[in-house]
Amino acid sequence: MSAVPARRMIAVMVLVPVVVALALWAFAWPAARTAPRDLPVGVAGPAAAVTQLERGFERREGAFDVHRYDDEASARAAVEDRVVYGAVVAGPKGTSLLTASGAGPVVAQLLEAVTAQAPAGTQVRVTDVAPLPSGDPRGTALAASALPLALAGVAAGALVTMSGLRGTRAAATLFGASALVGLTATAISHSWLGVLQGDWWAEAAALSLTVAAPGATVAGFAALLGTPGIGLGALLMVLLGNPFSGAASAPELLPEPVGAIGQWLPPGAGATLLRSVAYFDGRGAAAPLVTLSVWAALGLAAVFVGGRRRAAALAEAERPAPVPVA
């Protein structure tokens, strides 16, 4: 056996376990370490009652970030604005819990479990101020959409690159494909399955941008680095971006700093943006919208820079050699 095939065999045998280990770390580790970490929650009511509620949350050190509100109305507004995931309100009629399953059903269930530990005889009324639709009462459909959208973006960027499209044509193709994906996904998720319940066109725009950002990133990497750029983009968007997105739970339930990193990547920002437009009338959409726009803009900039480099290299190669002077 020659040396070259032998080295290739060894490289493949070593590379496959490394990739598997990386995938297991990225997907299994965050799932196995799911727990609240500075999860924003609110408390409201009389001062004495609020202090007692705060102490209840603070027993779990580092688990909750408690916000005080004057009354139920202000606490409800904070939940609806996505400032907190839920709020416990103490009033003359007893204790009530405001949740928002649209922000994450896992968090809503967690808050219900925490308040269920109230002293015996205490009845806690639960009100879901941003409920999930009847078509997806557990929120599994939205969580399951993160991976297909990331794959769609990677595929769009890879196909644009392999088709030899450059510059304006590459940008137009990327955004055209992303827009069609967004329209198709909204038609399926909103109109057919009924798992989204916000403004139809806002959801389509959010889904389109969620595909365009990774698509432009992959195409940009490929324009600058060549074919290996496609693999780098896929690694970043699928292998890291998807499990770090918090789409199936919440960013604050993932190990630190995974939750924060996930929100800086397109899959996590896209999931947060889609929740905002689908269940909260766009409230809380600013940060993920900026994140996705920055990724898309930087990716397109790289596409144009790479295209100009390629054009300059081709022009240099085609330039006739100087005629030697006798």
Side-chain angles (χ1 to χ4, degrees), residues 174-175 209-221 232-233 235-237 240-241 260-270 287-303:
L174 278 170
F175 279 94
L209 187 56
T210 301
V211 175
T217 301
V218 169
F221 280 151
L232 177 61
L235 176 72
L236 188 62
M237 298 300 156
L240 295 182
I261 294 173
Q263 293 305 294
W264 298 338
L265 296 174
L289 182 60
V290 169
T291 299
L292 291 171
S293 300
V294 168
W295 278 100
L298 292 178
L300 287 182
V303 168

Side-chain angles (χ1 to χ4, degrees), residues 47-92:
V50 167
T51 300
Q52 186 175 0
L53 292 173
E54 282 185 327
R55 289 174 180 171
F57 282 114
E58 290 171 355
R59 290 193 186 100
R60 299 188 177 190
E61 185 176 354
F64 298 98
D65 177 19
V66 184
H67 299 239
R68 276 198 179 205
Y69 298 99
D70 294 331
D71 50 34
E72 181 175 351
S74 56
R76 178 185 289 267
V79 176
E80 293 174 342
D81 290 340
R82 304 204 68 184
V83 177
V84 295
Y85 280 93
V88 182
V89 181

